[in-house]
Amino acid sequence: MPINLISDAWIPVLDKAGQRRIITPWQMADDSLLRPDWPRADLNIACLELLIGLVYLADPPANPPDWQARLVPDPDRLRERLAAFGSAFNLTGAGPLFLQDLEPLVGEANPADMLFIDSAGANTAKNNADLMVHRGRYSALEPALAAMALYAFQAHAPSGGAGNRTSMRGGGPLLTLVDPGLGLWPLIWANQPHGKPGEMRDLPWMQATRVSDQGMQTMPPASGPFGTEAFFGMPRRLRLVEEQGRVTGVIQRPYGTSYALWMHPLTPYYRQKAGQEALPMHPRAGLFGYRHWLGVLAEKPGNEGLRERALVLKLWDQRRRVMCVDGSVQVAGWAMDNMKPRDFTHSVQPVVALEPEANDMLVGLVEAAEQAALALRAALEPVLAGGAAREGEREAFYIATEAAFRARFADLKVGLAPQQVAKDWLKALKSQALAQFDALAMPGLDLRETDAVKRIVQARGQLVGSFVGFGAYGDKIFGALLMEKPLVQKGKAA
């Protein structure tokens, strides 16, 4: 039986009592619900995106007073507003189909599991190269799972060969979602941009596909850097194949919509130079830690827009005061290596809400750590020959100092003097850098050649000097922490 994604119950959720339910979209306004409950983390995040997008399509807050006035959910109102778009949200059958080409596509179907970013592509499977990605896991998909996978695939579409377009945020964008910690609806409402309700024509599958084989690009609406389509982008030309009530394959054709200059409200952006095009940030493989905070969780004053937090985090600066909670930030996204997924990042991070002087110091803590890590990597050159090995030690340095950074962040939040925080952080950076250096350099030092010992001793001296303000790294560390370097007399620190 065909499924309608507006009127039918299809979204699995957990309620605050720990019970699993299947809901229709309008029921997201039920105050007893906690979160989506799909079997994969990437689908849970995509589901939150979809629910935010549905509210933005049907009934967004017009302005800050409207957002505040509607903090208490109104399920009946949401049901009525969403119902107007029901005919656009059939998954299979005749007529316009959710996130699929308006006209049926003809050709050989790919396996249904192509909808998952970590599935093997045709060439990968053919070459038996699916070591980190996987083939054949889903021979057929239940309609609800197929719908959620389809949305996630279109919203995060990676590079996929000639003519297969990436999402409007590129392959595997970084997402930041404000989470007040009060359940499903408060999260959806906290991440609502201001706007006006959309129309059927705003949904790309309600019209002929904007085929991009001749280089045609789709720009954002004249009213701003994003519109309703930001939540319903359709870079891939797809058509689901249904057999006996299950999705068994996907027909794909190249040259779907090619997006340019869009800025998604859930994604942070950066610029190579001031005034240039804003580019979406993408997660790196591995843990998301404090080294990634700038431009994602925290603003660097005076950076000329080179790094820009997601719109919803900027809105939260004021909204959190209305809701009387700081909440947290869910940071998520696929780390990609061109067409290859490396891993899926999903991390819960704090909201950075500091007074200006404390925020300046927070930026300095991160920048000082960057220089300290570089100083360590440089000092290890006579100890570790391979550049990859030294880079590994740099990564280990960040991981080892994560807890100390969180402690300094907590100090700033409670109002400890920034200069005291800087001194404590400098001490932690020095301690960790020397500990890592010594663990690698000291064992067997007496068995090395004399010239090797000399180089190691000199490297250690330079590393120590960085933490008292000497050398290029020391200059930048002290500058970032707004600390005065020690006076120098006859080559020694006074």
Side-chain angles (χ1 to χ4, degrees):
M1 180 178 179
I3 182 175
N4 183 276
L5 304 179
I6 294 296
S7 60
D8 292 334
W10 66 282
I11 300 173
V13 297
L14 284 180
D15 65 22
K16 293 177 181 177
Q19 299 299 308
R20 194 171 193 264
R21 303 190 208 170
I22 306 297
I23 67 167
T24 57
W26 66 268
Q27 290 175 303
M28 70 174 107
D30 183 338
D31 243 355
S32 70
L33 301 182
L34 185 61
R35 60 174 176 81
D37 191 36
W38 295 97
R40 295 168 51 113
D42 59 340
L43 296 190
N44 283 327
I45 291 296
C47 186
L48 293 174
E49 278 192 274
L50 173 60
L51 294 177
I52 293 166
L54 287 173
V55 175
Y56 188 72
L57 168 67
D59 197 19
N63 48 46
D66 188 37
W67 182 88
Q68 183 173 350
R70 294 166 55 195
L71 279 173
V72 177
D74 186 341
D76 291 335
R77 171 175 168 154
L78 183 58
R79 183 178 192 173
E80 178 184 347
R81 300 297 174 90
L82 284 173
F85 295 92
S87 62
F89 283 83
N90 290 317
L91 183 67
T92 57
L97 300 178
F98 176 67
L99 286 176
Q100 298 167 67
D101 256 39
L102 184 62
E103 301 297 330
L105 301 179
V106 179
E108 183 179 354
N110 297 288
D113 71 352
M114 74 155 282
L115 296 174
F116 297 95
I117 288 178
D118 57 337
S119 292
N123 286 335
T124 302
K126 180 180 178 181
N127 296 329
N128 200 34
D130 48 331
L131 177 63
M132 298 305 292
V133 293
H134 311 284
R135 71 174 109 167
R137 293 170 300 168
Y138 308 98
S139 58
L141 301 174
E142 294 299 325
L145 183 59
M148 197 67 260
L150 173 62
Y151 181 84
F153 187 66
Q154 292 280 32
H156 306 157
S159 300
N164 289 327
R165 303 302 187 192
T166 64
S167 81
M168 66 174 60
R169 295 171 284 175
L174 183 68
L175 284 84
T176 53
L177 295 170
V178 172
D179 187 354
L182 302 173
L184 179 60
W185 176 255
L187 185 153
I188 299 302
W189 196 241
N191 289 282
Q192 277 299 311
H194 302 127
K196 60 181 182 179
E199 301 178 21
M200 284 287 197
R201 64 184 181 183
D202 297 325
L203 301 172
W205 61 92
M206 298 301 290
Q207 55 190 311
T209 299
R210 298 185 289 266
V211 179
S212 58
D213 57 340
Q214 301 298 318
M216 176 183 178
Q217 291 186 311
T218 296
M219 305 295 180
S223 58
F226 71 93
T228 300
E229 193 168 346
F231 289 101
F232 298 100
M234 210 172 89
R236 296 294 185 95
R237 300 185 64 194
L238 305 173
R239 195 78 175 194
L240 303 184
V241 177
E242 181 189 23
E243 296 180 13
Q244 299 180 340
R246 306 178 78 196
V247 174
T248 58
V250 183
I251 298 175
Q252 178 172 233
R253 285 289 174 268
Y255 302 109
T257 304
S258 178
Y259 294 96
L261 303 180
W262 291 68
M263 292 185 69
H264 197 286
L266 304 182
T267 290
Y269 284 78
Y270 72 97
R271 292 175 173 83
Q272 299 283 7
K273 294 181 180 179
Q276 289 188 347
E277 176 186 350
L279 303 172
M281 289 190 184
H282 298 268
R284 294 179 48 164
L287 297 175
F288 182 94
Y290 75 88
R291 67 176 298 191
H292 308 113
W293 279 26
L294 300 187
V296 178
L297 302 177
E299 292 278 11
K300 180 179 178 180
N303 75 345
E304 298 181 307
L306 294 180
R307 293 187 179 185
E308 191 171 342
R309 291 180 301 161
L311 173 63
V312 292
L313 260 69
K314 297 177 185 178
L315 293 173
W316 187 243
D317 289 344
Q318 297 302 319
R319 290 175 173 180
R320 68 181 180 83
R321 296 184 175 92
V322 175
M323 295 188 73
C324 299
V325 293
D326 276 352
S328 60
V329 181
Q330 293 192 44
V331 180
W334 278 102
M336 303 293 297
D337 179 9
N338 195 10
M339 292 186 288
K340 300 175 183 177
R342 299 186 66 185
D343 64 22
F344 184 75
T345 292
H346 186 202
S347 176
V348 178
Q349 298 290 324
V351 168
V352 176
L354 299 171
E355 295 300 320
E357 185 180 6
N359 187 78
D360 289 347
M361 181 51 66
L362 178 77
V363 173
L365 299 183
V366 177
E367 293 181 338
E370 291 175 354
Q371 296 303 315
L374 291 172
L376 172 62
R377 186 180 66 178
L380 287 171
E381 193 275 333
V383 180
L384 297 175
R390 294 197 297 276
E391 187 61 26
E393 287 300 312
R394 182 184 175 212
E395 296 293 328
F397 175 83
Y398 284 114
I399 294 172
T401 53
E402 184 76 29
F405 179 86
R406 296 300 182 104
R408 303 292 76 76
F409 173 60
D411 289 341
L412 290 172
K413 288 196 72 172
V414 299
L416 189 65
Q419 283 308 303
Q420 182 58 53
V421 174
K423 291 177 182 178
D424 293 341
W425 184 232
L426 180 64
K427 181 179 179 181
L429 294 177
K430 178 181 179 181
S431 175
Q432 181 58 36
L434 291 178
Q436 281 183 237
F437 182 92
D438 290 346
L440 292 167
M442 293 302 106
L445 184 64
D446 56 332
L447 302 178
R448 295 178 183 265
E449 297 291 337
T450 302
D451 62 336
V453 172
K454 181 180 179 180
R455 291 177 62 215
I456 290 172
V457 171
Q458 288 176 339
R460 191 181 193 279
Q462 290 170 350
L463 182 60
V464 171
S466 295
F467 296 100
V468 291
F470 294 148
Y473 295 122
D475 187 63
K476 292 178 180 178
I477 289 171
F478 273 65
L481 296 177
L482 305 177
M483 298 175 66
E484 292 186 7
K485 294 195 295 183
L487 297 176
V488 178
Q489 295 180 353
K490 296 182 181 180
K492 296 182 180 180

